Structures are given as C-alpha cells and as structure tokens.
Amino acid sequence: MAAPSAAPHNAEPALPDERKKQQLPPKSYADAVEQEPPANGTNGTNDANGINGANGNGTEHDDSKQTGHMASVLRIVDTGAPETKDKQEGRPQFERQESKHEYSAAGLDDTPRTPPRNKHRKTGSKSSNSSQDKPSADEKESESNGLDKPKRAKVKDRRKDTTVFEKVGEQNGSKLISVKTTGTYEKQIQKDQKEAPKHENGEGITSGKKPGQRWERSAIRFAPLNVPLHRRLQTLVVLFHTLCIAICVSTFCFLCAIPLFWPLLIPYMIYCMSSKASTSGTMSHRSEFLRSLPVWSLFASYFPARLHRTQELPPTRKYIFGYHPHGIISMGAFAAFSTEALGFSQLFPGIKNALLTLDSNFRIPIYRDYALAMGLASVSKESCENLLSRGGPNKEGMGRAITIVVGGARESLDAQPYQLRLVLKRRKGFVKMAIRTGADLVPVLAFGENDLYDQFQPDSHPKIHKFQLIVKKLLGFTIPLFHARGVFNYDVGLMPYRRPMNIVVGRPIRVVQSPHPDQEEIDRVHERYIQELERIWETWKDDFAPNRKEELQVLE
C-alpha cells in the first residue's frame, strides 16, 4: 500500500479578512452543504481509513480531490451574505411523521422533541381554552396526511357538580387527561378528613357508614319542638273533636268495668234508649255557653276556616241550609253551624240553626249528651218537621233553620283533594221537605272541605270501593280509607291537614208551602238550587280554589 501523502499547504484561506487581502471573492459554504454526497458513500469528512485512505480499488486519492473535500470539515461561519439566506430558505422540507414508539413527537431523526411552551400553561387561562377549542397544527397536519385524528376529551362543562375532563398536555409524547374535582367533592373530602379519627402518630382509619342516615332522609316530616303554644292548642282541640266518639265509648266502657258506678249507669242506659230529645225539635239540651267557648275559636283557626255571607236573611222566614260537600268528617259544617267560632249569629241575627246528623249517633252513651249540648239534632224526617214547625217567636218555626249535609256518606267516598264532586241529582228529599214546611232553600258551598284528607281513589281500587258501597247499603254509613297528618308529624295520621276552608252561603231560593207538592214543582226548585250552587262556584272558584284540578261536577 502506498504511503499517505501530506495535506497540501496552498489551500485557499477561509477567513473573510485573509480572502479580502488576497483579493479573493467571499466564499459561501451553503453550496458545499447542499451538495449531494459522493456515490461511493463517502462524505466530506474523513473516512474510516483516515484522510488519505484508499478508495474501493486500493488506489490513493490525489491532492486535488482531497482539497475539494477539506471544505466540508471546516466550521461554517455565517458571513451575512444575502445569497446565503436566500439559499437557506430554499432548503428542502421534510414531512414530520408520527412515531410508532411510546412517545408521539416526530423529528427528522425520530427522536422525542420538547413540547411547545403554550401547552404547559394552565387550562383555566384564555390561551389554553382557545387552544383546546381549536385543533392544533400537528392535528391538522396529521389529518391532511391521512392519519386518524385523535379523539378530543371533554374540556369544559358549566353544570354544577359535573365531572369535568381536562387535557393537561403532552410530556415526552405522553398525553395526560385528568378529572377536575368539583366543589362538593373537595368539601366532602375535607369533611371526611375531619370526621375520621386519627392516631397520635398521624395514621388514619376508614370508617363504615354513618348510622341513622335513613331516618334523616325519611319522607315523614316531624314537627319541631319550638312550635308556638297556640298551635299546639289548636291541634289538641281538633284531635279531641276527631276522636270524640272513641273517647266517649272508651270512657263508658271504663265506667262499666267498675261495679261502683253500676247504680248510675243502669238508669242512664234506660234514659238514653227512651229519650226523644234528638227528634222533638225543642232544643232543650242546647247550651249557648258551650257553643261559645273560646276553644272553638282555636278549632276554627287550625285550618283556618271562614264563613262568608252573600245576602242577608230575614229572621221572619225559616230556612234549610244545604251544605256541600260532605268531605270525610264535615269539619266546616261543625265549625260554622254548630259553634259560634265563625260568627253565625252575627252574620244571620235572629236565626237559630241546628246541625243535623245521623240518628244512630244519639244512641252512643255520653256522646249523645255532648252532641245535644252543641245544638245537633237528628236528620230524620220527624226531626226536620218538628224543628221547622215548632219553635220560634210564633211557635210555628219562624226564625228557625236546619243544616243538612246533603251528599251524606255516599259523597264522602268521592272526597278527593282539589276536586268537587257532588252527589245531588237524585237527592230531592230535602227539596220536598222545604216545600212541605215552607222553608227557603239556602245553598252552602265549602271551598277546601275535600282538601283536608287524602283517601284511596275509587278508580284505582274498584274492589275496595265496591265493598264500601255494600257497607253503606247494609249499615247506613261507610268507612272511607283516608289519612292526613299526625299530631307530631306532617305526613302520616288521622288529623286533618292545615288547609284553608271558605264556606260561602248563597242566595235563598223562595218556595211556596204546599202539604202535597207535585214532582214537577220539586224538580223545578231542585234545578234552581243546582244553578245557585254553580253560580257560587263560578263566582268564587278563582279566589277560594286556585289549585283545583277540575271544575264542579254534579253526580247521580
């Protein structure tokens, strides 16, 4: 092998100052960089055999060829020449392709690159939101190259307490997506950390579920302990009236269990079976003192209830008040016509009214005396005729009035909240009684009477409704399956709801007395009676029944 020759010493200077002294043109190295490498695989640098290495044929390079390749190993210095910049701008562009490795950045040599600075900013800033809403340049480029566009995560959700996904950025090609914690989550974590017991050395424990949470989330709302006294008294008075019959029967049974009271109870039982005080029409057991007690004002203010008059009634006539609807227990009829809590004697001075109820109630020991003292009487035909023909200033019934709950027990089965269905089309006995006794008919409509209780729907429970009708036909009364609120809660019990009642007394319908009225006259007065009820409903429904579900319906 031939010995390597020494490098030539007459090479052109590379520094601009030396070239200027020798009056040589400035040398640009952009052309040398852009030159294609030699076909034999060698570049401008020294090959594996050294500077003077042999070629593929074993021959040595000549000095002229070595001189041409020495320029590629020199340090390239920017001379600021304009032609250099122009040629640099014309450098070939290489397509950036996504790597198949773990990182996702792409370079000419397939090595990871540092992510742009704007992706390190917080997602809450405006620049981050704008960059997240618009696709990046890399995504556009990959889309144009036919690559699958990566799925974008949800960035923003303005709804409260909603899981929010945030795209944090890319670190070494790894895309990070985090879940943004909501305010309630952070509060719950802080609460759990406070409640969780910790040891002195800082170790914490995980506790099970907290007992009593189901009671805290219970649908039953219990009354607080700081309820005012007058509201407690109202509840007590209404509870007494609701359970009055049960209290009287229990008291009588308790007295019967004590032989010491037998000498008094036996004569009392004989008197109850033979007494006709409920049908005599004399009202001898009526107590104005008991009817005017302040406790009845508490009873009426429980709902509260109000009595309204549309027209004055002269005391020189006799009247039959038709009360509608029956409801479950007819709380409004008791408050308005059996007590002075709503001021009946002030609205209708000179008229003595008696509320009528079933004759079987006057067979209950102790309760019968309480009912007679409150001015109640039997609803039998004999009792109605006696009350409207025996009494008053002239002993002919002038200034007397009776109140009949026309719908009766049958109407109580249709007593649904915010509805008003009246069983009235075939109820004409009270009209016939008014014509025979010469009493004017006065319609009374109680807004809110049906709202005091909830009961089973007849349509959804047809078998139960059929059984109730059978009991009504056999025994004369029925048992509605109802519920409302309790004494110490607002959702379960037999106490009526605290919902307002407005009892409106309509205009009287004058009748001509006839001992034997014909059916045509009865139908004519009955039709006028229904028209007056409908007039009351249309006039006052928007004021006293704003939450109604349907309009007035007259059934049967």
Side-chain angles (χ1 to χ4, degrees):
M1 181 178 295
S5 62
H9 298 281
N10 55 354
E12 293 183 359
L15 297 179
D17 296 339
E18 295 180 359
R19 293 180 65 85
K20 187 175 181 180
K21 291 178 181 180
Q22 298 179 11
Q23 296 181 356
L24 296 175
K27 186 175 180 60
S28 176
Y29 298 96
D31 297 335
V33 174
E34 294 177 0
Q35 288 179 359
E36 295 182 0
N40 57 359
T42 60
N43 52 15
T45 58
N46 299 336
D47 55 9
N49 297 328
I51 297 176
N52 299 325
N55 55 13
N57 300 324
T59 60
E60 298 178 358
H61 296 283
D62 54 1
D63 297 339
S64 61
K65 293 183 179 180
Q66 285 183 350
T67 305
H69 288 284
M70 284 297 292
S72 62
V73 299
L74 296 178
R75 182 170 60 90
I76 300 175
V77 179
D78 188 5
T79 60
E83 58 180 1
T84 304
K85 296 182 178 179
D86 295 337
K87 292 182 179 180
Q88 287 179 354
E89 292 178 357
R91 295 181 62 183
Q93 299 293 331
F94 293 89
E95 292 184 358
R96 300 171 60 89
Q97 297 182 358
E98 190 170 353
S99 175
K100 298 181 180 179
H101 298 287
E102 180 179 356
Y103 47 82
S104 61
L108 295 177
D109 54 353
D110 204 24
T111 57
R113 292 291 187 266
T114 304
R117 294 189 59 182
N118 58 354
K119 291 192 176 182
H120 285 287
R121 299 177 184 175
K122 296 182 179 179
T123 56
S125 62
K126 296 182 180 179
S127 61
S128 175
N129 292 335
S130 61
S131 63
Q132 290 174 356
D133 295 339
K134 299 180 180 179
S136 61
D138 295 342
E139 293 176 350
K140 290 182 179 179
E141 188 175 356
S142 62
E143 184 177 0
S144 62
N145 294 336
L147 300 177
D148 295 337
K149 184 177 180 180
K151 296 183 179 179
R152 294 175 56 83
K154 295 182 180 179
V155 176
K156 191 174 184 181
D157 195 340
R158 298 183 181 274
R159 292 179 297 178
K160 186 179 180 182
D161 298 340
T162 307
T163 303
V164 180
F165 296 93
E166 288 187 322
K167 185 177 180 181
V168 178
E170 299 180 1
Q171 184 68 26
N172 294 333
S174 299
K175 299 178 181 179
L176 300 180
I177 296 178
S178 64
V179 179
K180 181 180 180 181
T181 58
T182 58
T184 56
Y185 176 78
E186 295 177 355
K187 292 180 180 179
Q188 185 65 27
I189 292 296
Q190 295 176 1
K191 183 179 179 181
D192 294 342
Q193 290 177 355
K194 291 180 180 179
E195 294 181 355
K198 294 184 178 180
H199 197 262
E200 294 179 356
N201 57 5
E203 296 181 358
I205 59 176
T206 303
S207 305
K209 66 178 182 179
K210 182 179 179 181
Q213 289 183 349
R214 294 185 61 184
W215 288 98
E216 296 176 358
R217 298 191 301 265
S218 176
I220 301 177
R221 299 167 297 166
F222 290 92
L225 298 177
N226 57 350
V227 175
L229 178 61
H230 71 278
R231 293 179 65 88
R232 292 295 189 191
L233 294 177
Q234 292 171 358
T235 305
L236 181 62
V237 175
V238 175
L239 178 64
F240 169 77
H241 175 73
T242 305
L243 303 178
C244 186
I245 295 179
I247 293 174
C248 293
V249 173
S250 301
T251 302
F252 179 76
C253 294
F254 175 76
L255 295 176
C256 289
I258 303 176
L260 183 63
F261 291 98
W262 288 358
L264 299 177
L265 294 178
I266 294 175
Y268 176 73
M269 289 297 299
I270 297 174
Y271 166 74
C272 289
M273 289 185 293
S274 60
S275 175
K276 296 192 179 290
S278 60
T279 58
S280 62
T282 59
M283 295 187 183
S284 58
H285 294 71
R286 182 188 179 104
S287 173
E288 297 296 336
F289 171 77
L290 184 61
R291 288 167 54 91
S292 303
L293 286 177
V295 294
W296 304 123
S297 179
L298 293 172
F299 175 86
S301 60
Y302 171 88
F303 304 100
R306 295 290 301 276
L307 181 63
H308 307 276
R309 180 191 67 189
T310 58
Q311 186 174 335
E312 295 183 1
L313 302 179
T316 56
R317 303 280 299 178
K318 58 183 75 172
Y319 304 95
I320 295 180
F321 290 85
Y323 185 85
H324 307 273
H326 183 278
I328 301 297
I329 311 181
S330 301
M331 293 287 187
F334 180 82
F337 302 107
S338 187
T339 69
E340 290 296 331
L342 303 183
F344 179 86
S345 60
Q346 297 176 1
L347 294 175
F348 308 100
I351 297 178
K352 195 174 185 178
N353 186 23
L355 178 63
L356 306 185
T357 184
L358 294 176
D359 187 69
S360 59
N361 291 332
F362 296 95
R363 300 292 181 263
I364 301 175
I366 302 178
Y367 178 76
R368 66 175 299 277
D369 300 286
Y370 165 74
L372 291 173
M374 293 299 298
L376 274 70
S378 175
V379 76
S380 62
K381 179 181 178 180
E382 179 186 2
S383 176
C384 293
E385 291 180 348
N386 292 335
L387 287 170
L388 296 175
S389 59
R390 300 180 184 179
N394 59 354
K395 304 300 180 181
E396 294 180 359
M398 293 301 174
R400 285 283 187 91
I402 59 175
T403 301
I404 302 175
V405 184
V406 179
R410 173 64 185 85
E411 195 174 79
S412 66
L413 299 179
D414 294 323
Q416 299 293 336
Y418 309 110
Q419 297 178 3
L420 192 57
R421 300 178 181 179
L422 306 182
V423 180
L424 185 57
K425 287 185 177 180
R426 293 190 295 178
R427 300 293 177 101
K428 300 180 181 180
F430 71 102
V431 178
K432 186 177 182 180
M433 177 62 64
I435 297 175
R436 291 178 59 182
T437 57
D440 296 341
L441 285 173
V442 183
V444 180
L445 195 60
F447 294 88
E449 179 70 53
N450 287 344
D451 303 343
L452 304 182
Y453 291 93
D454 293 323
Q455 69 167 321
F456 289 102
Q457 292 280 354
D459 299 336
S460 58
H461 301 81
K463 294 183 179 180
I464 296 178
H465 185 67
K466 185 177 181 180
F467 174 76
Q468 291 172 332
L469 294 178
I470 294 175
V471 173
K472 163 68 174 57
K473 185 176 181 179
L474 296 177
L475 303 178
F477 63 92
T478 186
I479 306 174
L481 300 179
F482 63 92
H483 73 89
R485 56 160 292 176
V487 180
F488 301 107
N489 70 86
Y490 302 118
D491 300 288
V492 179
L494 301 180
M495 290 284 294
Y497 291 119
R498 286 182 177 266
R499 294 172 180 171
M501 284 191 299
N502 290 276
I503 305 165
V504 181
V505 180
R507 301 170 183 173
I509 300 173
R510 299 292 294 269
V511 298
V512 179
Q513 186 174 2
S514 174
H516 303 286
D518 55 1
Q519 190 63 36
E520 183 179 355
E521 178 67 14
I522 295 174
D523 294 340
R524 185 184 65 83
V525 176
H526 186 267
E527 184 65 24
R528 291 181 57 192
Y529 183 87
I530 294 179
Q531 292 177 359
E532 178 61 20
L533 277 176
E534 292 176 347
R535 187 196 68 82
I536 297 174
W537 169 259
E538 294 296 333
T539 304
W540 303 104
K541 64 180 181 180
D542 293 333
D543 297 327
F544 299 144
N547 300 323
R548 61 187 181 277
K549 296 180 180 178
E550 61 183 23
E551 298 297 324
L552 172 66
Q553 297 185 21
V554 181
L555 310 176
E556 298 185 18

